[in-house]
Amino acid sequence: MHEVLAAVLQVRDGQLQVLLWQRGIEPDAGRWALPGGRLGDSEDVQTSVLRQLAEKVDVREVAHVEQLQVFSAPDRMPQRRTVVTAFLGLVPCVADPVLPDDTAWHPVTDALQGSPPTAFDHGLIVRRARDRLRAKLSYTNLGFALAPPEFTISRLRELYAAALGHRVSATNLQRVLSRRGVLVPTGGTAAPGPSGGRPAALYRFAERGMRITDPFAVLRPPEPQHAPEGAVHLADPGAAP
Amino acid sequence: MHEVLAAVLQVRDGQLQVLLWQRGIEPDAGRWALPGGRLGDSEDVQTSVLRQLAEKVDVREVAHVEQLQVFSAPDRMPQRRTVVTAFLGLVPCVADPVLPDDTAWHPVTDALQGSPPTAFDHGLIVRRARDRLRAKLSYTNLGFALAPPEFTISRLRELYAAALGHRVSATNLQRVLSRRGVLVPTGGTAAPGPSGGRPAALYRFAERGMRITDPFAVLRPPEPQHAPEGAVHLADPGAAP
DNA sequence: TTAGTTTTCGCCTTATAATCGAAAACGTGA
DNA sequence: TCACGTTTTCGATTATAAGGCGAAAACTAA
């Protein structure tokens, strides 16, 4: 049997959290599992996981979904042999979907340490999801999927710090993203906090489509020569000795 | 039904090539397909694809295998609905496995342009495999899977150029890989070619395990402070003013 | 010995990230 | 209204790594 699962991640309360539901029946009753379910006959895996998220946990605000990996160990679940395609899902920090009673957000760090206990191999899937997110935050504009449509650099810095698990310099974040052209100022400013301070400028991401600015520019192809032959007059119109 | 497929790549004759077999029966009779087959009940997908490669095309010299992606469009194959887990496989350039009559190597570039015509969505899988290889060559030591155990920089440069599809500077390749610590001199030298020249030093890869030296060191965590508090005496045993 | 070939190494330039500190822009309270 | 604390923003500087170029090294063949 083939099923799909999603590790849906969101930054809440300054921590990266994952959406889990508590199993009511055996096997692994009482343990916490990722949302998902059986693959339908007339849908592909990504359509299926989005459908099931919408149906089961009312998550329609998923800003980004991507395939993580297939888990297929014959004994990964007792009883029936089940192959699963695992996904990473990201939800902006402003979203607060209504959840069923058996469903809740849990800090990823806690879940990876057994609190709450996770069902089957779902803990491993959560770890893969977190690692993938951390890697992609470094070299893509995947941050758009964690951030609101408009945000200040400070706000974005908090999101990155929560997701990456370490401190992040606002100055550096600002310029690294700007250089890549994924950060666009909207012109507006946010109101200062209660203790004053300079009002922060608002930004948005250039595109929501995982645009990557030359991924891993290492061992890149040689620069095309400016004008190997002919067309030289174009580059040199009226030069004087 | 679930099946596994592998795009097995190797550099031959200075070109990146892929292993294909010609289908004898409908559907898509006469077109060229990737090796693979049905997932067994007691094996995971990676075990399965390695088994089938060994059984069907006598490829036991696969140096590296990794999951690419699940392809699951309901209509990706006529007749029966089939979900496939696609793999990337890499074979060192020195290997020359015995192949069945219906099986042959084809340049990836040609296959992607319809020569020979590929079956089902296998052309798309080949493209994904090539792109993945190119990306990973930039920031991992995946080159070990294309290269012999020992090699010269010139030889490695040819392999990289063939796989990446553009010229590669031997000087730069040498230093980029050395800096990462994945290139280890063996001490030996290769015999000069028929037209003379300085004999080249032999190298090997440091590890065959996809060791990555700090992947994408962007937005990296701040350096740990030398000695924030306590334990200072350890770092400073018997210092005099 | 000389010419030709190939490899290897050092120096320089460029590109990008990280760090530091000062200036700008706002509230608050004397 | 005028210092003061706070937060944001920007410029200058440093650090690191990749890319390019040419000279020197090490060999073969005439």
Side-chain angles (χ1 to χ4, degrees):
Chain A
M1 200 185 86
H2 197 102
E3 70 174 13
V4 294
L5 291 173
V8 180
L9 304 183
Q10 182 190 31
V11 176
R12 335 189 99 219
D13 307 326
Q15 291 190 99
L16 188 67
Q17 307 209 16
V18 60
L19 192 64
L20 298 172
W21 63 281
Q22 188 172 28
R23 289 180 60 86
I25 59 173
E26 295 294 343
D28 276 8
R31 304 180 80 97
W32 293 75
L34 295 171
R38 183 168 184 171
L39 174 67
D41 288 334
S42 59
E43 58 186 2
D44 62 34
V45 285
Q46 178 154 333
T47 304
S48 180
V49 75
L50 288 174
R51 172 182 62 80
Q52 308 207 36
L53 284 179
E55 284 177 2
K56 296 193 178 180
V57 294
D58 189 31
V59 176
R60 286 176 239 264
E61 307 154 89
V62 188
H64 175 78
V65 174
E66 69 178 64
Q67 264 192 46
L68 269 182
Q69 186 186 335
V70 169
F71 292 83
S72 60
D75 60 347
R76 61 173 289 275
M77 293 181 74
Q79 305 181 340
R80 193 166 183 181
R81 196 271 165 87
T82 305
V83 174
V84 60
T85 303
F87 284 81
L88 161 67
L90 298 176
V91 174
C93 60
V94 289
D96 193 18
V98 178
L99 302 180
D101 288 343
D102 61 357
T103 307
W105 296 97
H106 292 274
V108 169
T109 310
D110 296 350
L112 291 180
Q113 290 174 355
S115 149
T118 47
F120 312 122
D121 54 0
H122 294 196
L124 179 57
I125 298 177
V126 171
R127 176 181 298 276
R128 288 287 163 83
R130 188 197 60 175
D131 293 348
R132 174 80 65 98
L133 171 62
R134 287 184 173 175
K136 284 210 165 183
L137 279 180
S138 283
Y139 60 91
T140 69
N141 68 346
L142 199 50
F144 79 81
L146 296 176
E150 295 196 351
F151 48 84
T152 68
I153 297 296
S154 296
R155 192 113 175 66
L156 194 63
R157 189 201 63 78
E158 294 169 16
L159 294 175
Y160 270 73
L164 292 173
H166 61 75
R167 281 176 298 134
V168 172
S169 154
T171 298
N172 199 33
L173 182 65
Q174 149 89 296
R175 264 193 328 237
V176 166
L177 295 182
S178 292
R179 168 184 302 278
R180 295 179 182 170
V182 300
L183 212 52
V184 180
T186 66
T189 58
S195 57
R198 173 172 176 172
L202 288 174
Y203 292 84
R204 62 177 175 83
F205 277 101
E207 306 187 26
R208 300 180 68 78
M210 280 296 296
R211 189 51 142 234
I212 303 181
T213 327
D214 203 327
F216 325 123
V218 160
L219 295 178
R220 51 176 162 271
E223 286 296 317
Q225 307 304 327
H226 328 129
E229 49 183 296
V232 183
H233 55 286
L234 270 179
D236 192 3
Chain B
M1 200 185 85
H2 197 102
E3 69 174 13
V4 293
L5 291 173
V8 180
L9 304 183
Q10 183 188 30
V11 176
R12 338 189 99 219
D13 306 325
Q15 291 191 99
L16 188 67
Q17 307 210 15
V18 59
L19 193 63
L20 297 171
W21 64 280
Q22 189 170 29
R23 290 181 59 86
I25 59 173
E26 294 295 341
D28 275 9
R31 303 180 81 96
W32 293 75
L34 295 171
R38 184 168 184 171
L39 174 67
D41 289 333
S42 59
E43 58 186 1
D44 62 36
V45 284
Q46 178 154 334
T47 305
S48 181
V49 76
L50 287 174
R51 170 181 63 80
Q52 307 205 39
L53 285 180
E55 284 176 2
K56 295 193 178 179
V57 293
D58 188 31
V59 177
R60 285 175 240 263
E61 307 153 90
V62 187
H64 176 78
V65 175
E66 71 178 64
Q67 263 192 47
L68 268 182
Q69 187 186 336
V70 169
F71 292 84
S72 60
D75 60 347
R76 61 174 289 275
M77 293 181 74
Q79 304 181 339
R80 192 167 183 180
R81 197 273 166 84
T82 305
V83 175
V84 61
T85 302
F87 283 81
L88 162 67
L90 298 177
V91 174
C93 60
V94 289
D96 193 19
V98 178
L99 302 180
D101 288 343
D102 61 357
T103 307
W105 296 98
H106 293 273
V108 169
T109 309
D110 296 349
L112 291 180
Q113 290 175 354
S115 149
T118 48
F120 313 120
D121 54 0
H122 294 197
L124 180 56
I125 298 178
V126 170
R127 176 180 297 277
R128 288 287 163 84
R130 188 197 60 174
D131 293 347
R132 174 80 64 98
L133 171 62
R134 287 184 173 177
K136 283 209 164 182
L137 279 180
S138 283
Y139 60 91
T140 69
N141 69 345
L142 199 49
F144 80 83
L146 295 176
E150 296 196 352
F151 48 83
T152 67
I153 297 296
S154 295
R155 194 112 174 66
L156 193 64
R157 189 201 65 76
E158 294 170 15
L159 294 175
Y160 271 72
L164 292 173
H166 61 73
R167 281 176 298 132
V168 173
S169 152
T171 298
N172 200 32
L173 182 65
Q174 150 89 297
R175 266 188 330 233
V176 166
L177 296 182
S178 292
R179 170 187 301 279
R180 296 179 181 171
V182 300
L183 212 52
V184 180
T186 66
T189 58
S195 57
R198 175 172 172 170
L202 287 172
Y203 292 83
R204 61 178 176 83
F205 277 102
E207 308 187 26
R208 299 181 68 77
M210 279 297 295
R211 194 38 149 239
I212 303 180
T213 326
D214 203 328
F216 324 123
V218 159
L219 296 178
R220 52 177 160 270
E223 287 295 316
Q225 307 304 326
H226 327 129
E229 50 182 296
V232 182
H233 56 285
L234 269 179
D236 192 3

